[in-house]
Amino acid sequence: MEPYRIKVVEPIPQLTRQQREEALKRVHYNLFDLRAEEVTIDLLTDSGTGALSAAQLAAGMAGDESYSGSRSFYRFHEAVTELTGYAHILPAHQGRAAERILFNTLLEPGRIVLANTHFDTTRANVELSGAEARDLPCAEARNLDSAEHFKGNIDLDALSRTLDGPDGSRVAMVVMTITNNGGGGQPVSMDNLKRTSALCRRHGVPFFLDAARFAENAWLVTRHEPEYRDRTPRQVAEEAFRLADGCMMSAKKDAIVHIGGFIGLNDPELAQRCELLLIATEGFATYGGLAGRDLDMMAQGLTEVTEPAYLAERADVAAHLAHRVRSAGVDIIEPPGMHALYLNAGRLLPHIPAHHFPGHALACQLYLEGGIRSAELGSLYLGEEDEDGNPTKSAPYELVRLALPRRVYTRSHYDHVGETLAEIAKRADSVYGFRIVEQSPILRHFRATLEPVPVHG
Ligand SMILES: Cc1ncc(COP(=O)(O)O)c(C=O)c1O
């Protein structure tokens, strides 16, 4: 059961099907353009959408809004230092700001960043600095249906080969995303982290964690890695941070705050250079684009997020929804993980070809039938077309992500999601596809406008 009770509630919008149909037409079938008040269950993201605890709100009230040297900064600094062990901690307003500052300081054209899988903003920030982002996911990650526990791991052989090979001297850093959001939210084992750390040390290459979901990763390690069965998630997390030379963190996930992030570093010279860029572009080094209250709420959230009762319930909710989804006849990336379920829309809607976007079709149906907002992670997001609109590249899988906000929805909300999917699955062959009407040159899924096209099953 939930290890908390509800003190403050917010009504959720309940629209008629006709209202949702009109809303979809108005936004040209782009779910990002819906107003939140048109969405009943919002599973677009788990980022910045969690519910604050009473203790976090109280901590926020104690926030010190001094421009420099605030008490909030020192409380935040102590909490992050104790957790991570890094010598230098720089606050930033969110994860991608931390990425931009670190990469602009460390990278240059011609250099390579290796990762288990770069998250999309991480890749974008690597590329904006002129470097190359190269993914080395483990082989197990390619089988969406296998229930192996650490499909977020990096491919150690490929890592070793690259570091030893002709590109080795160009590798500027190795990043491990825990959990691996771009790879189905799968965790990384401590064994994989240790071996990666050892390889990086041997080659003198900095090793960083993209630690957005460090606590969820730690929980899954205590469940599935025998050596860690008797450790607490907090102990696992502390050890994981200490295997790396630093981290970037979007605190909007596993610090359960609405805004926030940080960089942790051991290298004093790198920290000094990052700090200058931080001051120039985010804010002074003791607030980094945040309010004092945000720093205090982050510090409190970082202690709550590793509580076993909280993590056990979060894993259980994901398992509950996974069970409902499978019972509805819809496949997911297995095993379900914790922060999101990834629906295999390509398999559910085989009559819709990739260039008519089966993932987007399922996401629109989820909204139309149940007021549920989700995120397409298929060919609308990753595909490409030539100037005449002919498809040139499709995504490897046509997925829809149902992200689970922290402490926000109950099992009955998720039952509604399962029931809606079951209804859609019953008449899957009548679901229509889509065609792009207009699109932007980059990140097209955010701004594209679309229209339905009939495709027959
Ligand atoms: C693994 C990972 N890294 C980085 C980010 C970027 O963080 P933010 O949205 O706070 O900029 C995200 C956001 O979803 C993420 O999942």
Side-chain angles (χ1 to χ4, degrees), residues 122-385:
T122 323
R123 170 176 292 279
N125 277 300
V126 169
E127 289 172 355
L128 281 170
S129 75
E132 177 192 335
R134 207 179 280 180
D135 291 341
L136 304 175
C138 66
E140 293 78 9
R142 279 195 284 278
N143 182 353
L144 303 193
D145 303 313
S146 85
E148 272 156 286
H149 289 302
F150 293 107
K151 287 159 75 176
N153 283 352
I154 200 165
D155 180 336
L156 289 165
D157 288 339
L159 176 62
S160 171
R161 270 198 311 277
T162 313
L163 290 172
D164 284 331
D167 284 344
S169 59
R170 294 202 290 128
V171 177
M173 63 195 289
V174 173
V175 173
M176 196 76 97
T177 313
I178 59 169
T179 56
N180 193 350
N181 188 12
Q186 301 294 324
V188 176
S189 71
M190 289 300 284
D191 181 64
N192 196 256
L193 281 173
K194 280 184 208 162
R195 289 173 194 267
T196 303
S197 170
L199 272 172
C200 288
R201 297 241 153 100
R202 180 145 24 99
H203 287 83
V205 171
F207 176 38
F208 277 81
L209 299 184
D210 177 349
R213 298 177 183 83
F214 73 92
E216 294 175 2
N217 201 81
W219 174 256
L220 293 167
V221 164
T222 65
R223 299 289 93 189
H224 303 301
E225 208 168 344
E227 204 189 315
Y228 288 87
R229 199 172 289 144
D230 299 327
R231 307 278 187 88
T232 63
R234 171 81 190 196
Q235 288 169 330
V236 174
E238 286 180 3
E239 187 178 330
F241 280 114
R242 284 159 181 79
L243 288 169
D245 301 300
C247 75
M248 304 150 273
M249 166 91 186
S250 167
K252 298 170 72 174
K253 285 82 169 174
D254 272 355
I256 327 183
V257 286
H258 299 146
I259 197 75
F262 59 85
I263 307 172
L265 294 164
N266 278 336
D267 177 343
E269 194 262 334
L270 180 62
Q272 201 176 32
R273 286 165 53 217
C274 286
E275 187 180 285
L276 290 178
L277 189 55
L278 178 81
I279 296 172
T281 59
E282 281 278 294
F284 189 63
T286 61
Y287 75 89
L290 292 163
R293 61 177 163 274
D294 297 324
L295 295 167
D296 267 310
M297 290 192 286
M298 250 200 287
Q300 174 62 26
L302 286 172
T303 66
E304 293 175 13
V305 76
T306 50
E307 281 169 16
Y310 159 78
L311 287 165
E313 196 270 339
R314 185 153 169 78
D316 196 60
V317 161
H320 175 83
L321 180 58
H323 173 68
R324 298 293 304 231
V325 171
R326 290 189 204 106
S327 311
V330 179
D331 290 336
I332 55 169
I333 298 191
E334 297 285 355
M338 284 174 78
H339 85 283
L341 296 191
Y342 295 67
L343 311 178
N344 193 334
R347 199 174 285 167
L348 180 69
L349 307 173
H351 61 290
I352 305 182
H355 64 278
H356 285 316
F357 311 122
H360 187 67
L362 179 58
C364 285
Q365 281 300 312
L366 276 165
Y367 176 69
L368 192 62
E369 303 269 336
I372 300 152
R373 180 155 63 172
S374 54
E376 191 261 9
L377 290 179
S379 291
L380 182 59
Y381 170 54
L382 290 173
E384 286 168 18
E385 281 153 27

